Amino acid sequence: MEQRKLEIHTFHLKQPRKQDITIDPKDVDGKDLYKLLSKEFPTFIDEFPPSKLYGKTTKIPLNGDAKSIFFSKSQNRIVYGKINIGDDNKKEQDVVESNKDKKFLYTKMKGHSVERPFFFLILLPDTKTTGFLILEREGKHAMKRDFEKILNEFTTEKLSGLKVKFTNFVESDLVKEWLEKGEYKEVILRRRELPNDKAEHYGEFLDEGKFDVRLSIVPKEKTIFTPNKKKKIAQNIDEYNGFFESEELKEIGFDKNSEIKVVIDHEGNTRTIDLSDTNKVRPYYHVNVKTNAAGFSEIESIKNEAINLIKQFNLGII
């Protein structure tokens, strides 16, 4: 078993010039996005030109039985599989043994791409106009930008120019858990463009011009934030009203108009949570998966972890 990250995003179909109107993916002029993906997405990926993807190659890989690693499940309206992304086609690179001797093996020539497989899953629930996208990350390797580009090109071609708008998926209950149970490493207050009547409290140092002011609170040694203080911070997820009630802090500009960020360690992960915009929290979730002989995630193992992760949010969509 090896650890991987799964990132979750929601997405909507939009008309390019009418961003405020959300379109139901189940019925776009009689077309169902799920059915289109099930039938046409693999070929679209295999034939996608590198010129449209920053010079990268794309294809659906085959398994040991020479069958495509692409699947669809109509009961849950999901499509999932692997995509090989090939990169570095413009570089000449030496390949060496991964040991202390680093013996030269061969040179990868320009025009040759090194492929890496990534897992993806698209869920289009019957009960929502929102789609869900789950992508695999392994260390520094990810394909979010590439996949978003491919899916946008697909909907543009197949659904009369429609675009896809993506949003990070971070459940508020999960953010609350980090805020209430995590170890606080730093609390950062920031006031942008400090008002003139507040700037005077900083003396002649800020006597003219525009300034942002940043205050960093870092607990030292065995100092901790108490459960009550953490709970008070977490309440900002439901209604953002700032954290500090001190009149002295308000006098120097830190009021409900301030930005508050909290740096937290929780279960081996470090998160920076912006309480004024929780969508800025990266939507990454750790899972343990089986790997295949090549060292990459095994398709059914990572698919099951992805579905279990969605089920944990109790959204009633799968």
Side-chain angles (χ1 to χ4, degrees):
M1 302 286 281
E2 290 188 5
Q3 191 175 83
R4 294 289 190 274
K5 288 179 182 177
L6 293 176
E7 56 180 299
I8 307 180
H9 307 273
T10 58
F11 65 89
H12 300 84
L13 292 179
K14 301 284 186 179
Q15 293 182 6
R17 297 181 182 179
K18 297 180 180 179
Q19 292 291 312
D20 57 326
I21 300 176
T22 298
I23 298 169
D24 189 345
K26 296 184 293 296
D27 185 7
V28 183
D29 296 328
K31 296 179 180 179
D32 182 348
L33 178 57
Y34 164 74
K35 292 180 179 179
L36 287 173
L37 289 169
S38 300
K39 296 177 181 179
E40 302 182 30
F41 202 41
T43 301
F44 186 84
I45 290 171
D46 288 344
E47 296 178 353
F48 200 75
S51 61
K52 288 188 175 182
L53 197 68
Y54 327 108
K56 298 179 182 181
T57 61
T58 58
K59 71 178 182 182
I60 301 293
L62 304 179
N63 61 19
D65 298 324
K67 294 182 179 180
S68 174
I69 305 179
F70 179 89
F71 307 92
S72 61
K73 303 289 184 183
S74 59
Q75 181 179 0
N76 294 318
R77 290 176 57 83
I78 64 172
V79 297
Y80 69 95
K82 291 284 189 90
I83 295 181
N84 280 356
I85 304 290
D87 203 356
D88 291 335
N89 67 324
K90 295 181 180 180
K91 296 179 177 65
E92 186 174 298
Q93 297 170 291
D94 289 342
V95 178
V96 300
E97 291 182 348
S98 297
N99 55 36
K100 66 178 181 179
D101 296 326
K102 306 181 184 71
K103 180 182 176 181
F104 171 80
L105 297 174
Y106 62 92
T107 298
K108 184 196 77 65
M109 305 306 293
K110 292 181 180 179
H112 294 182
S113 290
V114 178
E115 293 184 331
R116 187 179 190 90
F118 293 93
F119 169 81
F120 71 92
L121 183 147
I122 299 173
L123 168 61
L124 291 159
D126 250 334
T127 56
K128 295 182 178 293
T129 58
T130 302
F132 291 79
L133 172 64
I134 303 180
L135 301 175
E136 177 184 14
R137 299 178 66 94
E138 183 184 357
K140 65 180 181 180
H141 302 288
M143 69 158 180
K144 177 177 179 288
R145 184 177 72 150
D146 302 331
F147 196 90
E148 287 184 353
K149 175 70 172 176
I150 294 168
L151 190 55
N152 253 310
E153 291 288 338
F154 183 82
T155 59
T156 298
E157 179 180 313
K158 307 294 183 180
L159 296 175
S160 304
L162 294 186
K163 295 292 186 180
V164 184
K165 182 178 181 180
F166 296 91
T167 305
N168 291 352
F169 175 79
V170 181
E171 268 290 88
S172 60
D173 288 345
L174 202 60
V175 176
K176 284 183 181 178
E177 180 180 324
W178 295 333
L179 289 170
E180 293 181 357
K181 297 182 180 180
E183 178 186 354
Y184 282 39
K185 311 301 289 185
E186 185 178 11
V187 176
I188 304 163
L189 281 77
R190 182 177 180 180
R191 179 61 189 267
R192 296 181 184 272
E193 295 195 11
L194 192 70
N196 291 334
D197 63 324
K198 305 298 181 185
E200 64 185 25
H201 293 287
Y202 292 85
E204 60 183 28
F205 182 68
L206 302 182
D207 59 354
E208 60 181 59
K210 294 182 178 181
F211 298 91
D212 289 355
V213 180
R214 184 177 185 273
L215 175 64
S216 176
I217 302 172
V218 181
K220 294 295 186 179
E221 298 175 348
K222 296 183 180 180
T223 305
I224 62 171
F225 280 77
T226 64
N228 284 339
K229 288 180 179 177
K230 290 180 179 180
K231 185 170 289 187
K232 189 171 184 179
I233 292 175
Q235 290 173 353
N236 283 275
I237 298 300
D238 297 321
E239 182 179 358
Y240 182 75
N241 53 22
F243 169 57
F244 296 94
E245 296 179 348
S246 165
E247 291 300 322
E248 288 81 2
L249 280 171
K250 290 180 181 178
E251 279 298 307
I252 60 175
F254 294 108
D255 53 24
K256 65 180 181 180
N257 295 312
S258 303
E259 298 174 7
I260 302 176
K261 295 183 180 180
V262 186
V263 182
I264 297 174
D265 280 351
H266 183 49
E267 295 182 349
N269 296 302
T270 299
R271 304 278 186 176
T272 299
I273 297 175
D274 186 339
L275 291 172
S276 59
D277 186 357
T278 55
N279 280 329
K280 292 180 181 177
V281 181
R282 291 184 174 181
Y284 301 163
Y285 305 88
H286 290 272
V287 295
N288 292 311
V289 300
K290 296 178 182 178
T291 55
N292 57 26
F296 297 107
S297 60
E298 194 273 324
I299 182 64
E300 285 302 305
S301 176
I302 194 168
K303 181 265 293 185
N304 290 338
E305 290 298 325
I307 290 177
N308 288 338
L309 182 60
I310 286 290
K311 287 180 177 179
Q312 289 174 23
F313 298 125
N314 296 317
L315 302 174
I317 58 176
I318 195 169

